[in-house]
Amino acid sequence: EFRRVLFRSAFAPPAPNPARGGAIHLRLSIASAGHVRCIVHDLQGRIVRTLLDGTLEAGEHAIAFDGRGEDGRRVRPGLYLVRCIGPGLDRTRTLVMLQ
């Protein structure tokens, strides 16, 4: 018997959130293989860090954010937006960074 498993693309909330240093874990599911881009933005829309910009196979994936910007320095405490765009996915999650 042929069974077809269907699922949709999804982006889970960051954990832990709020975050106090250490790794912040992001989970996403991609319904079909393709290009995926996940970016951390500040509230002014500036790119703080590109976490992923490449091709992923269909399925579940984990990404870690170490709380550092593109320059390698720790980001300031505050509210950030994490946006992931990919096949069937365009979702933004909020992330609160503490000291």
Side-chain angles (χ1 to χ4, degrees):
E1 172 185 338
F2 176 79
R3 293 178 120 196
R4 186 173 178 190
V5 178
L6 296 176
F7 66 96
R8 60 188 181 122
S9 297
F11 179 35
N17 193 13
R20 187 184 306 273
I24 296 97
H25 303 283
L26 306 164
R27 293 182 303 114
L28 58 131
S29 297
I30 304 298
S32 59
H35 187 261
V36 179
R37 191 165 191 215
C38 293
I39 300 173
V40 179
H41 295 268
D42 64 15
L43 292 181
Q44 287 73 42
R46 295 178 295 227
I47 294 175
V48 172
R49 176 97 176 261
T50 299
L51 301 176
L52 174 66
D53 190 5
T55 302
L56 292 179
E57 294 297 320
E60 295 186 10
H61 302 275
I63 303 168
F65 174 46
D66 61 4
R68 298 185 182 278
E70 297 285 5
D71 61 4
R73 296 183 352 193
R74 228 173 241 298
V75 299
R76 294 177 184 228
L79 185 65
Y80 293 86
L81 304 173
V82 184
R83 183 176 185 196
C84 283
I85 304 166
L89 178 68
D90 187 349
R91 184 83 191 246
T92 302
R93 297 288 190 175
T94 58
L95 172 62
V96 177
M97 296 297 295
L98 303 174
Q99 291 259 129

